[in-house]
Amino acid sequence: FFVWEWLVRFMAFRSKISGLKDGWFVFDSVLTLMMVVETWVMSLYIHATGSSTTFGSGNSSALRIVRMLRLSRVARVAKILRALPDLMILLKGLLAAVRSVFFTF
């Protein structure tokens, strides 16, 4: 789904090189690339090598690096929420609204 959304956004640029000048498109490109590597490439790697996904195996150092990158995405969101307290108030309000709507059905 995200790859499709990225492709549609990329095709919307008249000059494809101008996509590199748009900061949000570059950010979305990096996130989409990380998602593709995490889900498709790493799955193919695990299947091809038959390696275990546990931390105890000797040849899973590449998997550890990918897991650390995944944790860095979570840390980035936490940093944004800490920097913008108004956003946190807005998210708490949305959560309360979703709960009240959920319990009415």
Side-chain angles (χ1 to χ4, degrees):
F1 178 74
F2 295 114
V3 176
W4 175 253
E5 179 185 353
W6 180 87
L7 185 64
V8 168
R9 286 187 63 199
F10 179 72
M11 296 305 290
F13 288 109
R14 290 182 191 211
S15 172
K16 305 304 181 208
I17 197 73
S18 65
L20 295 175
K21 296 176 184 173
D22 183 16
W24 286 110
F25 181 73
V26 172
F27 177 71
D28 287 341
S29 298
V30 169
L31 288 181
T32 304
L33 179 68
M34 287 176 67
M35 185 263 317
V36 166
V37 167
E38 182 180 347
T39 56
W40 298 342
V41 176
M42 291 307 293
S43 297
L44 288 174
Y45 172 77
I46 290 169
H47 182 68
T49 60
S51 68
S52 173
T53 58
T54 61
F55 282 113
S57 64
N59 58 356
S60 66
S61 63
L63 295 175
R64 290 180 189 171
I65 294 171
V66 171
R67 287 185 184 126
M68 291 304 292
L69 287 174
R70 187 171 33 186
L71 283 175
S72 70
R73 289 189 293 181
V74 173
R76 188 177 328 129
V77 171
K79 182 179 178 184
I80 289 172
L81 290 177
R82 199 172 351 137
L84 299 170
D86 296 339
L87 183 62
M88 191 62 185
I89 293 170
L90 186 68
L91 287 176
K92 286 180 182 179
L94 283 172
L95 182 65
V98 166
R99 272 188 277 159
S100 65
V101 169
F102 176 74
F103 286 121
T104 58
F105 288 112

